[in-house]
């Protein structure tokens, strides 16, 4: 059966699934339908939970379906394909999409053991996550465009507010990295991080803390870290930085849409970076230092910056190391797929 034909029965699945399925159905006296469906020829896209499946991938779903106008109530859900395993219930609006979901078993990847609930709030969704372990990569890709080709971390649900209440013993990220004892409360709408409180432990006794506070002009964002390299690998931003302890403080002027910030880092290295020679173009001595190995070690770095809607202005930057250091200023154009920064005074 083609899933689009279910609309003739009052069951609209177009928001979450398309294609063809083999369905066995049994009507119950209360008007509900017990369904068992072979999903191999169907594509699934429950985007707000980071769940997708291409047509051709084997899978099955069981559910009890009740229809009430535009609302499809799905209970006793058992969904499985690949490493994805879900058990719970959900409600889908034919016009508005997924309205709520409650999963006692939520696994997007092998080894996941978590419980997830999703409920509507004004202009978006509230997501509550609890568990022993959860692979965050599908959710990071969904909401922050952190995979390859992105010009940088940027929320994709620009028209919705996402409120997250998350507690995990282990959170798996990119590049085989793991955070422990993660506690997160986050309110995000598009690129506007309205509120965040985050505490997490990292390998080798490292840690991460993020907090926002209201100010007269808007809010402040404070980030403290003891291993920046692991954090950047965890969220899939940049794998070539190792070490790095420091902090970033940003003062946000919401009325004028301008942020003023300072980033300080100590004791970090850029390793196995194939583009170092290009970065050091015009500095022969510096290029000679990395001709045999594509890495550089630094003692400290400080960057004062101004962030506007389309760009980050580097007002002053200073980097020091045993073999190379420098200072300068420039721009990163965040609305471009090829952002760049000018640090013209780098010296070996």
């Amino acid at each position: 059966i083609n899933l689009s034909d279910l609309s003739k029965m009052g069951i609209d699945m177009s928001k979450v699934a398309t294609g063809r399925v083999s369905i066995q159905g049994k009507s119950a006296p209360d008007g509900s339908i017990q369904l068992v469906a072979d999903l191999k020829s169907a594509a699934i896209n429950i985007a707000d939970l980071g769940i997708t499946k291409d047509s051709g991938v084997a899978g099955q779903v069981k559910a009890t379906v009740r229809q009430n106008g535009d609302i499809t109530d799905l209970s006793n859900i058992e969904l499985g394909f690949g490493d994805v395993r879900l058990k719970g219930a959900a409600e889908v609006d034919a016009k508005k999409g997924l309205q709520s979901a409650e999963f006692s078993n939520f696994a997007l990847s092998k080894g996941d053991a978590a419980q997830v609930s999703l409920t509507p709030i004004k202009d978006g969704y509230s997501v509550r996550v609890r568990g022993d372990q959860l692979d965050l990569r599908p959710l990071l890709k969904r909401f922050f465009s952190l995979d390859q080709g992105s010009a940088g971390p940027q929320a994709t649900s620009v028209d919705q507010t996402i409120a997250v209440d998350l507690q995990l013993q282990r959170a798996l990220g990119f590049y085989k990295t793991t955070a422990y004892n993660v506690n997160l409360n986050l309110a995000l709408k598009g690129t506007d991080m309205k509120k965040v409180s985050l505490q997490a432990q990292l390998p080798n006794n490292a840690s991460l803390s993020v907090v926002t506070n209201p100010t007269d002009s808007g809010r402040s964002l404070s980030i403290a870290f003891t291993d920046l390299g692991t954090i950047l690998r965890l969220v899939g931003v940049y794998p070539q930085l190792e070490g790095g302890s420091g902090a970033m403080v940003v003062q946000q002027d919401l009325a004028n849409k301008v942020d003023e910030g300072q980033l300080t880092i100590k004791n970090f290295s850029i390793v196995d970076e194939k583009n170092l020679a290009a970065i050091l173009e015009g500095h022969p001595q510096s290029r000679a230092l990395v001709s045999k190995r594509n890495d550089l070690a630094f003692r400290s770095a400080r960057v004062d910056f101004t962030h506007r809607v389309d760009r980050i202005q580097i007002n002053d930057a200073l980097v020091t190391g045993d073999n190379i250091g420098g200072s300068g200023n420039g721009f990163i154009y965040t609305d471009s797929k090829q952002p760049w920064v000018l640090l013209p005074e780098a010296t070996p």
Side-chain angles (χ1 to χ4, degrees):
I1 183 174
N2 194 310
L3 286 173
S4 62
D5 293 336
L6 290 178
S7 61
K8 300 175 183 178
M9 302 168 55
I11 304 171
D12 186 357
M13 300 294 291
S14 61
K15 297 291 184 179
V16 295
T18 59
R20 300 186 63 85
V21 296
S22 174
I23 298 178
Q24 294 180 351
K26 181 180 179 182
S27 298
D30 62 0
S32 66
I33 303 174
Q34 297 177 352
L35 297 178
V36 178
D38 184 334
L39 302 175
K40 185 174 183 179
S41 298
I44 296 176
N45 182 24
I46 310 177
D48 294 304
L49 295 176
I51 299 171
T52 59
K53 185 190 86 69
D54 293 330
S55 177
V57 177
Q60 185 184 72
V61 63
K62 299 178 181 179
T64 300
V65 181
R66 293 178 176 85
Q67 194 70 26
N68 182 13
D70 289 336
I71 302 298
T72 301
D73 181 76
L74 305 170
S75 60
N76 303 317
I77 297 173
E78 293 186 22
L79 171 67
F81 59 85
D83 292 324
V84 173
R85 293 291 183 273
L86 301 183
K87 289 186 178 181
E91 184 180 279
V92 181
D93 187 291
K95 298 177 181 178
K96 299 178 181 179
L98 185 67
Q99 290 300 288
S100 65
E102 184 82 30
F103 295 105
S104 58
N105 181 19
F106 185 89
L108 300 182
S109 303
K110 187 176 181 180
D112 281 356
Q115 302 81 47
V116 173
S117 63
L118 183 149
T119 55
I121 58 175
K122 183 180 179 181
D123 300 325
Y125 294 104
S126 174
V127 182
R128 185 179 187 271
V129 182
R130 296 291 185 271
D132 295 330
Q133 177 173 303
L134 185 63
D135 188 341
L136 296 184
R137 291 175 296 175
L139 296 173
L140 288 170
K141 287 182 179 180
R142 157 60 178 159
F143 291 112
F144 295 97
S145 294
L146 292 172
D147 48 355
Q148 293 182 354
S150 170
Q154 183 173 2
T156 56
S157 296
V158 295
D159 60 342
Q160 293 179 327
T161 296
I162 303 296
V164 180
D165 173 11
L166 179 147
Q167 293 181 17
L168 291 173
Q169 293 186 28
R170 294 180 301 277
L172 307 185
F174 294 91
Y175 301 101
K176 298 180 180 180
T177 53
T178 302
Y180 302 91
N181 300 320
V182 180
N183 287 274
L184 171 66
N185 279 281
L186 169 70
L188 178 76
K189 186 170 185 179
T191 57
D192 184 12
M193 189 176 294
K194 296 179 175 294
K195 178 180 69 175
V196 61
S197 174
L198 168 66
Q199 294 81 39
Q201 297 175 350
L202 302 169
N204 301 317
N205 295 318
S207 62
L208 168 66
S209 175
V210 183
V211 65
T212 55
N213 288 295
T215 64
D216 291 340
S217 62
R219 70 177 72 95
S220 66
L221 170 69
S222 300
I223 304 173
F225 49 85
T226 57
D227 188 346
L228 180 59
T230 295
I231 295 168
L232 296 181
R233 288 190 293 276
L234 179 79
V235 298
V237 172
Y238 185 67
Q240 262 60 63
L241 192 142
E242 288 190 352
S245 62
M248 182 171 73
V249 178
V250 180
Q251 301 294 333
Q252 299 179 308
D253 184 341
L254 298 180
N256 297 309
K257 297 183 179 180
V258 176
D259 305 332
E260 299 286 346
Q262 183 179 86
L263 170 67
T264 58
I265 315 174
K266 293 182 178 180
N267 303 320
F268 65 98
S269 301
I270 298 175
V271 300
D272 298 327
E273 175 53 76
K274 297 179 181 179
N275 295 321
L276 274 182
I279 294 172
L280 296 173
E281 187 74 35
H283 301 279
Q285 291 176 287
S286 301
R287 293 185 64 185
L289 290 172
V290 298
S291 61
K292 295 183 179 180
R293 57 176 189 173
N294 290 316
D295 62 76
L296 287 173
F298 299 94
R299 291 192 303 272
S300 66
R302 191 200 74 237
V303 180
D304 295 312
F305 62 90
T306 301
H307 173 236
R308 293 181 171 84
V309 175
D310 62 341
R311 65 192 184 277
I312 299 173
Q313 179 177 345
I314 307 300
N315 303 313
D316 183 33
L318 176 65
V319 181
T320 64
D322 292 335
N323 297 315
I324 187 172
S327 62
N329 52 67
F331 294 90
I332 301 173
Y333 291 99
T334 55
D335 61 349
S336 169
K337 289 296 183 182
Q338 296 180 333
W340 57 272
V341 62
L342 174 64
L343 295 174
E345 300 175 11
T347 57

